Amino acid sequence: MKFVSIQSRREEIFKILQACRSRTLDLFADLDSETLCKQAHPDFSPVGWHLGHIAFTEAFWILECCAGLPPVFSQYHKLFAADGLPKSERQKLPGIEVIREYLDTVRTQVLTYLETAPLEKQERLWRWLIQHESQHSETIAFLLQLHRWDREGFYTQLHFSNPKSLIQNPKSDEMVEIPAGEFAMGSDAIDAQDNERPVHRVYLDAYRIDRYPVTCSQYRAFMAAGGYQERQFWSEEGWQWLQDNPVSQPLYWSDSSDWDNHPVCGVSWYEAEAYAQFAGKRLPTEAEWEKAASWDVEKGQKLLYPWGNSEPNVKLCNHDTLVGHTTPVDAYRGNQSAYGCCDMLGNVWEWTASWFAGYEGFKPYPYRGYSQTYFDNQHRVLRGGSWATRPWAMRSSFRNWYHPGVRQILAGFRCAR
């Protein structure tokens, strides 16, 4: 393993902190005050709250807990703490100038402390904090999409920076055979979240998994066959969800054939489950998903990303809000896993069959409630990341989790058999 000096790691963290913040602030360029403070959906806080929460969290963990400094902007602690106010009461926010001042004041002190911080003891916390901002930045991105969707129904015209690179009409029904055997699941890397740890060996019987995420064209066949009306495709819980939430198409949907080759986006876990039943398949477990995405059986080793260990970039996957919407499932050449699965990181999160739970040997970090509160058999695991996921929160072992009825997140799925 290559030795990296403390100073080099300090410089790397500095660069990532700055890059991550720049991507977050890009989302607020020319944002009006109404959109800043308004809830896009009752289950989610306003985008302005997320921005203030990023500052609050950074100040609490680095300035107060690590540096021992007194609180800054203490008048906003109740407002921006995760457990401070109900989401419905988070709309009375200070202006964007005040929130920016909060962010900048905290960040200036944080970067000053970074110059002398004992990284040999704190590095994991600093990397957790970067991912915390990355995750809230993604939430901001899809909430802004919800606002635009309410105003414009914006899935109408597509604009690609390099349309010649797209392959039309993939054999999207293809499935990849994954042979029986063990693989290493999870991660013990310094930036791994508590719920990704520890690495452990898992044996899986042979199975097949879709080469690509389910496309809008495929999903349209389900809709045309009465998928939202036929009880036979739905589990008991799914059918009850549908009666309580009478929908007839994904949340982010366009009837235009321009989107046929894009992954379906904005479906609940129940909708994904119903489609899989319609197709004579099922949703993969998260272990099946991770093995297909990360295991190189010839080398007998785990890869950080499906394509290898090189970091995500614009040529490998749709991420980091660089495109701003989904892309065709075969738009990126060279991103397939060792088993031949494509588009497994970025574009859309993918629902799995698994409930979110801790691996054996789980230890909470940096506080008990970060993951452990959600080990309640009420949250399904999603894998892979979306077009809005920052690169620092993308890897084959990364786990996301939501209630199975949520549709607002940028989620699709692929099937297994």
Side-chain angles (χ1 to χ4, degrees), residues 333-374:
R333 303 169 188 265
N335 75 354
Q336 67 180 15
S337 70
Y339 285 115
C341 291
C342 300
D343 216 29
M344 296 197 84
L345 284 195
N347 221 359
V348 292
W349 286 100
E350 298 183 22
W351 287 109
T352 73
S354 299
W355 292 108
F356 186 53
Y359 299 148
E360 185 175 355
F362 169 84
K363 295 180 181 179
Y365 183 88
Y367 59 97
R368 183 181 178 277
Y370 178 68
S371 295
Q372 195 165 346
T373 298
Y374 304 97

Side-chain angles (χ1 to χ4, degrees), residues 176-182 203-209 282 288 291 339 416-417:
V176 172
E177 182 80 25
I178 311 293
E182 282 192 339
Y203 176 88
L204 295 176
D205 291 330
Y207 62 98
R208 304 179 77 199
I209 189 168
R282 60 175 174 80
E288 289 173 334
K291 182 177 181 180
Y339 285 115
R417 177 182 287 145

